[in-house]
Amino acid sequence: MSAKTLQYEATSAKSLLQEVAERSGQNLLACYQCRRCAAGCPVGEETGVTPDRLIRMVLLGDKEEALSNLLVWKCVACYTCGTRCPNNIQTARITETLKQMSKAAHLEPLRPRIADFHNAFMQATEHMGRFNEIEGMRIYETRTAVKEMKSGNFGAIVDEIKNQAKLGMTMMKKKRMHLKADQVKNKAEVKALYRKARQGKGA
Ligand code: SF4
Ligand code: SF4
């Protein structure tokens, strides 16, 4: 668990809770800290933040901690916490909301590569209407290579290509990566959803 003591911020507590609740569609006030969600979270131990604690951060108005913690970036959206929660609170939606808020506030992500992957996922999905692994990896790897080039780290680019080629082959063998670029019938609808989200939240 994170060692830091959470701070109650009276001035920001109400507005933070209101924004997160509205954007995520979750009733955070219903959380009575039973921690049933914590026991099932596959990344809680690794990140030092469990779903109940993340909710506590928001309720206390500790915006700094709520927007910059590893659970926000490492939540795998497995929905185990929501399934176990007696109040049907889906923390995956809360982590996604906080991620968007963190990006909108231009905070330095705690794990830049996860942030890059998230951006690549969102861009690829907007383009095809659904995620295609090849398209997503192309965007992600191009961005990573450009960053490494800027810092003159050419060895890292070669290592990355080798690692990703190996990973790609493994995924193809397991039929988890598809060369065919599937797309939804009405891509315009998906693009309209993205536009609406950007207009509404400035993310
Ligand atoms: S299971 Fe639900 S009510 Fe219990 S701590 Fe987790 S989010 Fe709160
Ligand atoms: S959805 Fe996220 S927060 Fe909830 S159990 Fe899965 S990894 Fe943990």
Side-chain angles (χ1 to χ4, degrees), residues 7-187:
Q7 301 294 323
Y8 176 58
E9 304 288 348
T11 45
S12 63
K14 196 175 168 198
S15 59
L16 180 63
L17 171 62
Q18 199 172 354
E19 182 172 4
V20 175
E22 272 175 17
R23 290 178 67 157
S24 68
Q26 303 306 299
N27 180 10
L28 286 80
L29 281 174
C31 175
Y32 43 54
Q33 295 286 301
C34 67
R35 305 200 72 234
R36 284 173 72 172
C37 52
C41 179
V43 296
E45 195 175 326
E46 177 193 342
T47 60
V49 181
T50 44
D52 58 295
R53 187 167 171 88
L54 184 70
I55 290 169
R56 197 83 185 135
M57 288 172 187
V58 176
L59 292 174
L60 288 174
D62 198 334
K63 193 169 184 178
E64 195 184 325
E65 279 289 295
L67 295 186
S68 287
N69 67 79
L70 282 177
L71 183 62
V72 163
W73 291 102
K74 289 197 158 188
C75 168
V76 293
C78 64
Y79 283 81
T80 305
C81 51
T83 309
R84 293 186 173 200
C85 177
N87 296 315
N88 196 29
I89 300 170
Q90 302 295 339
T91 304
R93 297 203 182 145
I94 297 171
T95 53
E96 186 59 28
T97 296
L98 292 169
K99 201 183 293 163
Q100 295 294 345
M101 287 170 66
S102 174
K103 283 166 71 176
H106 303 291
L107 297 180
E108 187 64 35
L110 291 177
R111 290 290 181 273
R113 286 204 161 201
I114 296 178
D116 288 342
F117 189 85
H118 183 263
N119 289 335
F121 181 92
M122 296 304 286
Q123 193 181 329
T125 307
E126 182 177 14
H127 185 210
M128 309 291 278
R130 59 176 296 180
F131 185 70
N132 171 264
E133 296 89 353
I134 299 284
E135 167 91 342
M137 291 313 288
R138 179 188 65 74
I139 297 168
Y140 172 74
E141 292 303 339
T142 305
R143 280 192 188 155
T144 305
V146 169
K147 271 190 183 175
E148 299 291 7
M149 263 189 237
K150 279 183 185 164
S151 58
N153 199 353
F154 297 103
I157 298 173
V158 176
D159 287 346
E160 179 72 11
I161 292 169
K162 279 189 198 160
N163 288 339
Q164 293 304 329
K166 205 169 150 191
L167 178 65
M169 293 303 289
T170 308
M171 286 176 73
M172 273 192 204
K173 274 187 202 154
K174 292 182 184 290
K175 300 193 189 321
R176 303 303 297 174
M177 182 174 259
H178 308 96
L179 291 174
K180 188 166 169 265
D182 287 335
Q183 47 188 302
V184 294
K185 279 187 193 151
N186 196 344
K187 287 196 284 183

